[in-house]
Amino acid sequence: MNTTSPQARALSGIGVKIAGTGMYVPPGVITNGDLEALMDTSDEWIVQRTGISKRHRALPGQSLRHLAVEAGRAALGDAGLSIQDVDLLILATVGAETTCPATACRVVDDLGGGNAGALDLVAACSGFVYSMNLAHNMIRCGSMKRVLVIGAEHLTQFCEYTTRGRGTAILFGDAAAGAVFEACSDPSRGILAQAMHSDGSGWKDLYLPYQERDFPEDAEDRDMIGVLHMNGRAVFKFAVKTFCDLIDDTLKKASIPADDVDMFVCHQSNVRILDAARERFGIPAEKLYVNIERYGNTSAASVPICLDELRKAGRVRDGQKVMFVAFGGGLTWASSLWQL
Ligand code: COA
């Protein structure tokens, strides 16, 4: 667990603010009714177990890069900036189009070029929170002035829309969203406490095999190459415990009670996991945002979508304390508690 102590913040003299946010959701839609027609499932089962009613799907010809570029353009526009004003782009995704080059390099080029640093970051559904911590820390220490972070996923390409793929097909959707992080002169603004963790021994609970050797030895469905494999029950158990422990640890490190947090912006994986965290800390419903019914689980895009919707609705604003929390494949988990 890392914190940014008041002393460290004062010494650096540099604060960090969110200068703009934006999102892009592709126009294709998969409703629970559509899934009923493709596999043995039901709207009732999906809503009860997950809270999801629909998810979006990229159009044929729309790649991960297209989604990321649209989100990046929206975030830059909101900040009144162009890509040439940015020192670094971090693209959080599990679906980089290529590993060489990093997809982020081509996103910078598509956004108008220039010579911003660019890298892809893989931490599955924790990717945006990992990236916002890194962006913040680089700005706080004075090595960067502005960092654009985009979380983008094209997960429907990794789902099989038949009964044997229903464990993941009902959950995941396509989307992208981003935020511009910028240095400011008030050192009290920025992260109060943060965390980034992993436990690779749980890798088999959520993985994406690209070839035969990527499967665990005991795996079934070895022909399902390029399809997300998940042990739903194991991930559920991990998520409920981790979510609560992470929120608890982060509050303790910042020495503030849950009541002092104005908004919890959490990865949208399952409404039951969010409800468990809300109940444990007595968080009122209006302080823990839920939009999973409209988008499903969009992995690294889910936290920045929530952030963008909340900012645009005036529910997240300067002066507030906001906690970001995510967990996902790896296994990974991360938090970021901000003084905005
Ligand atoms: N539609 C209808 N029935 C389904 C189904 C589906 N899509 N998927 C599974 N079932 C059936 C199972 O076959 C099982 O039937 P049985 O009792 O006759 O054996 C029953 O429903 C319960 O299955 P189970 O896997 O125990 O369901 P669950 O309550 O654990 O819910 C998930 C499944 C995936 C919704 C849930 O485990 C989950 O959300 N896990 C976390 C996933 C997650 O967050 N992943 C992303 C991490 S970032």
Side-chain angles (χ1 to χ4, degrees), residues 243-253 280-281 323:
F243 233 67
C244 292
D245 290 353
L246 191 53
I247 292 173
D248 203 29
D249 285 353
T250 310
L251 291 170
K252 281 191 182 128
K253 287 288 174 186
R280 156 93 184 270
F281 295 97
M323 188 184 302

Side-chain angles (χ1 to χ4, degrees), residues 35 39-46 48-52 124-126 162-163 165-172 205-206 230-239 267-273 292 297 299 326-329 331-332:
L35 295 175
M39 60 191 74
D40 180 13
T41 192
S42 70
D43 174 55
E44 192 191 359
W45 193 96
I46 299 172
Q48 258 180 18
R49 302 282 173 132
T50 71
I52 301 169
C125 304
S126 313
T162 65
T163 297
R166 68 183 180 177
T168 48
I170 59 156
L171 296 177
F172 294 111
D205 290 337
L206 183 48
M230 184 180 70
N231 179 345
R233 280 182 207 185
V235 175
F236 190 90
K237 266 177 77 180
F238 154 77
H267 172 49
Q268 307 285 305
S269 60
N270 185 316
V271 77
R272 290 186 290 147
I273 295 170
I292 192 169
N297 181 341
S299 186
F327 67 90
L331 301 165
T332 56

Side-chain angles (χ1 to χ4, degrees), residues 202-222:
W203 76 272
K204 297 177 204 171
D205 290 337
L206 183 48
Y207 67 99
L208 176 56
Y210 284 118
Q211 51 198 327
E212 169 63 25
R213 70 167 188 227
D214 295 342
F215 285 91
E217 271 171 23
D218 54 350
E220 294 165 10
D221 296 331
R222 299 186 88 86

Side-chain angles (χ1 to χ4, degrees), residues 151-310:
E153 301 290 9
H154 186 185
L155 297 173
T156 58
Q157 67 182 318
F158 304 129
C159 292
E160 182 173 306
Y161 292 93
T162 65
T163 297
R164 68 181 195 151
R166 68 183 180 177
T168 48
I170 59 156
L171 296 177
F172 294 111
D174 301 337
V180 181
F181 298 91
E182 185 177 57
C184 68
S185 57
D186 177 355
S188 69
R189 296 182 68 180
I191 290 180
L192 303 171
Q194 61 183 286
M196 293 182 269
H197 296 290
S198 75
D199 176 5
S201 71
W203 76 272
K204 297 177 204 171
D205 290 337
L206 183 48
Y207 67 99
L208 176 56
Y210 284 118
Q211 51 198 327
E212 169 63 25
R213 70 167 188 227
D214 295 342
F215 285 91
E217 271 171 23
D218 54 350
E220 294 165 10
D221 296 331
R222 299 186 88 86
D223 59 318
M224 290 173 78
I225 288 182
V227 176
L228 277 161
H229 285 62
M230 184 180 70
N231 179 345
R233 280 182 207 185
V235 175
F236 190 90
K237 266 177 77 180
F238 154 77
V240 169
K241 180 170 184 337
T242 306
F243 233 67
C244 292
D245 290 353
L246 191 53
I247 292 173
D248 203 29
D249 285 353
T250 310
L251 291 170
K252 281 191 182 128
K253 287 288 174 186
S255 304
I256 61 168
D259 283 357
D260 279 12
V261 177
D262 295 290
M263 186 64 76
F264 289 84
V265 182
C266 301
H267 172 49
Q268 307 285 305
S269 60
N270 185 316
V271 77
R272 290 186 290 147
I273 295 170
L274 298 173
D275 283 346
R278 221 164 43 70
E279 280 161 26
R280 156 93 184 270
F281 295 97
I283 301 167
E286 65 275 12
K287 277 195 178 188
L288 196 155
Y289 191 58
V290 179
N291 63 10
I292 192 169
E293 69 279 7
R294 288 178 280 139
Y295 305 117
N297 181 341
T298 58
S299 186
S302 107
V303 165
I305 286 178
C306 293
L307 172 62
D308 187 53
E309 291 190 339
L310 286 163

